């Protein structure tokens, strides 16, 4: 009971701190500050905040659960796809997009295509994909908090959800960057500590798990195409995922945006290689028959870490969930207020009104996600948010990347790529093995974007001039 | 929806960006095909990403049971590829890539 009290106190103070950060940045609610922190975030801070945003509660818990039950090679499909995708983002997306001074991915589509249909469809895709992603994060928060603290699952979801809903609504990008910086640091330190103790659990050897817990290196009982699909989903979505792009927009310069993404690729890749292997192997060694694989990390920490660290563990896991969810909520909010309301419905709206609508959107989306996560929690965390990302990547990757770099891309081509990418993923999803819909939907999106662009009237000189100058192409 | 102004700039975001002056660029004739130019090192890394991706998956699709040093091919191919590519690009962004 003493331990539980200590855990509660640590988590309570942690939540007070993040709320305090939201209140501190309450006066920075003008558009440029609220959406992209005035474009002043340094490479160091942004790299760690990006890591915290990408290494979600799902990655922290659910992915370790997948490694525990299906082996490291399967979950490394996510690690490799995410790392390569972020590298592509660093090479092709970071610098040109930071040059524009945009707030959202739809702003970028508007620079490229200036098409009302695309400006409406893109945020709708983002809102659908991210709402599912937020639900998955809240479920992760609920099951971990329920396990660690003497409160039930529903209450855990509501408390955690309300806290980060409040600080995002209050402080916008400044608040989530500062909190994510600390959360990223906390998660990184915790990850290193757990990995070290896991290695010590195997007598200081990193090769022992191969013989002692061979399940960790085995191929999973899923089709080989599921490995490829898992890889492709994260490869496609990582360069265009809106809550990462919004951090690109907040970088202090174009070069800083590129370097932040390069650091993110390295940190995320290294962290996932180590953590998904050695920690999951330790969990198998301690208890090979966990009924709930998502608790693999908790089991390891309970068995290999000093007891006093469990309170910090609770805060760190909540940090992993919060740092992703806050960024997701801000991206959903921007999609509705900045993209649909400001760009499509009321272009003359004042910045204050747009921010007010954004704040209301955060509250509405957050409450919907809390209710769904509390009352009807989905079973498979990783599968849930990975499929949401597959849907988003299929729809957005080629229309965005080709629009930035291929001169011949037209608005009709991009629209066709979005529609065919999204619909084919949704249609195929129930009928094909896990994660494999993207093997068809992504090439279809490419063919649609490229094919329709080629038979369409080429972009005008004005359109090419706009892309050339805004993205500062050489 | 915001409309384009005469200079060809995007008004709703252009005022947030840095250095938007066009000078004489507005008179430039742009080719309507091909890609905008990309630096050499970026092209090399994109090619390496494609090659490594092929190198990861081609052997598995040819022989799912392929093992090296007692473990499946993917157990070694993923981490080696991740470290080489992400480490190389990180170094390049601080050295030769502008």
């Amino acid at each position: 009971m003493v331990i539980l009290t200590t855990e509660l106190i640590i988590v309570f103070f942690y939540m007070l701190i993040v709320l305090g950060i939201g209140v501190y940045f309450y006066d920075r609610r003008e558009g440029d500050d609220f959406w992209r922190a005035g474009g002043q975030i340094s490479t160091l801070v942004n790299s760690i905040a990006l890591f915290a945003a990408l290494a979600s509660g799902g990655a922290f818990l659910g992915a370790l659960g997948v490694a525990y039950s299906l082996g490291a090679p399967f979950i490394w499909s996510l690690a490799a796809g995410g790392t390569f995708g972020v590298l592509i983002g660093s090479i092709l997306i970071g610098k040109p997009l930071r040059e524009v001074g945009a707030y959202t991915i739809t702003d970028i589509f508007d620079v490229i295509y200036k098409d009302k249909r695309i400006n409406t469809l893109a945020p709708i895709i983002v809102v659908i994909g991210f709402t599912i992603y937020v639900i998955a994060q809240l479920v992760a928060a609920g099951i971990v908090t329920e396990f660690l603290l003497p409160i039930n699952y529903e209450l855990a979801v509501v408390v955690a959800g309300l806290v980060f809903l409040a600080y995002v609504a209050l402080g916008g990008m400044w608040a989530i960057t500062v909190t994510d910086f600390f959360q990223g640091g906390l998660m990184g330190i915790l990850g290193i500590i757990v990995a070290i103790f896991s290695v010590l659990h195997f007598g200081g050897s990193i090769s022992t798990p191969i013989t002692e817990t061979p399940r960790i290196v085995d191929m999973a009982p899923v089709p080989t195409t599921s490995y490829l699909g898992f890889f492709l989903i994260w490869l496609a979505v990582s360069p265009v995922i809106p809550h990462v792009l919004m951090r690109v927009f907040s970088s202090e310069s174009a070069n800083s945006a590129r370097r932040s993404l390069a650091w993110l690729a390295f940190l995320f890749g290294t962290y996932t290689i180590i953590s998904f292997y050695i920690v999951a192997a330790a969990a198998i060694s301690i208890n090979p028959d966990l009924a709930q694989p998502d608790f693999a990390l908790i089991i390891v920490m309970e068995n290999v870490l000093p007891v006093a660290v469990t309170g910090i563990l609770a805060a760190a896991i909540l940090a992993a969930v919060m740092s992703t969810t806050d960024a997701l909520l801000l991206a959903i909010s921007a999609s509705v207020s900045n993209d649909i309301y400001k760009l499509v419905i009321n272009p003359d709206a004042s910045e204050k009104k747009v921010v007010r609508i954004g704040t209301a959107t955060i509250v509405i989306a957050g409450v919907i996600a809390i209710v769904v996560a509390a009352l009807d929690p989905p079973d498979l965390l990783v599968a849930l948010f990975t499929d949401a990302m597959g849907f988003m990547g299929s729809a957005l990757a080629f229309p965005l990347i080709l629009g930035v770099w291929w001169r011949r891309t037209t608005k009709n081509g991009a629209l066709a790529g979005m529609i065919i990418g999204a619909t084919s993923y949704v249609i195929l999803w129930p009928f094909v093995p896990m994660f494999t819909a993207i093997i068809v939907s992504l090439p279809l999106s490419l063919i649609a974007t490229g094919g329709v662009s080629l038979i369409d009237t080429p972009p005008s000189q004005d359109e090419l001039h706009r892309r050339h100058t805004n993205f500062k192409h050489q | 929806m915001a409309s384009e102004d005469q200079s060809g700039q995007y008004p709703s975001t252009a005022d947030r960006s840095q250095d938007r002056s066009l000078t004489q660029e507005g008179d430039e004739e742009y080719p309507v095909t091909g890609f905008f130019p990309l630096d050499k090192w970026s092209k090399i890394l994109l090619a390496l990403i494609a090659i490594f991706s092929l190198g990861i998956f081609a052997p598995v699709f040819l022989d799912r049971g392929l093992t090296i040093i007692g473990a499946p091919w993917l157990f070694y191919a993923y981490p080696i590829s991740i470290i080489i590519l992400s480490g190389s690009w990180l170094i390049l962004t601080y050295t030769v890539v502008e």
Side-chain angles (χ1 to χ4, degrees), chain A residues 180-232:
Chain A
D180 284 7
F181 174 69
F182 288 113
Q183 288 164 353
L186 189 60
M187 289 157 56
I189 291 167
L190 180 82
I192 291 166
I193 291 171
V194 178
I196 290 170
F197 276 91
S198 296
V199 174
L200 293 175
H201 174 77
F202 288 106
S205 164
I206 57 166
S207 61
T208 301
I210 298 175
T211 50
E212 194 174 305
T213 55
R215 188 170 102 197
I216 194 64
V217 301
D218 283 348
M219 294 289 278
V222 298
T224 309
T225 48
S226 290
Y227 281 84
L228 178 61
F230 205 3
F231 170 84
L232 280 180

Side-chain angles (χ1 to χ4, degrees), chain A residues 85-97 239 258 261 400-402 404-405 471 473, chain B residues 35-39 42-43 46 89:
Chain A
V86 172
L87 285 175
I88 291 172
S90 179
I91 296 165
L92 295 178
I93 295 295
K95 205 169 175 181
L97 265 56
R258 172 177 268 178
L261 288 171
L400 182 73
I401 294 173
L402 287 178
V404 173
W405 287 100
F471 294 131
H473 285 305
Chain B
F35 292 89
F36 288 105
L38 188 64
D39 66 276
S42 296
K43 284 181 191 170
L46 284 176
W89 180 246

Side-chain angles (χ1 to χ4, degrees), chain A residues 391-416:
Chain A
F391 164 77
M392 202 183 286
S394 295
L396 301 179
F398 284 117
L400 182 73
I401 294 173
L402 287 178
V404 173
W405 287 100
W406 189 39
R407 294 190 183 96
R408 191 66 175 77
T409 320
T410 67
K411 56 185 73 174
N412 291 323
L415 186 66

Side-chain angles (χ1 to χ4, degrees), chain A residues 154-196:
Chain A
E154 288 81 7
L155 183 61
V157 168
V158 171
V159 170
L162 287 178
V163 168
F164 48 64
L165 199 155
Y167 78 78
V168 178
L170 287 169
M173 182 57 94
W174 274 109
I176 75 168
T177 301
V178 173
T179 53
D180 284 7
F181 174 69
F182 288 113
Q183 288 164 353
L186 189 60
M187 289 157 56
I189 291 167
L190 180 82
I192 291 166
I193 291 171
V194 178
I196 290 170

Side-chain angles (χ1 to χ4, degrees), chain A residues 137-153:
Chain A
Q137 301 304 318
L138 282 174
V139 173
I143 56 179
V144 171
T145 311
E146 179 192 26
F147 188 81
L148 292 168
L149 304 177
I151 55 177
N152 65 32
Y153 169 81

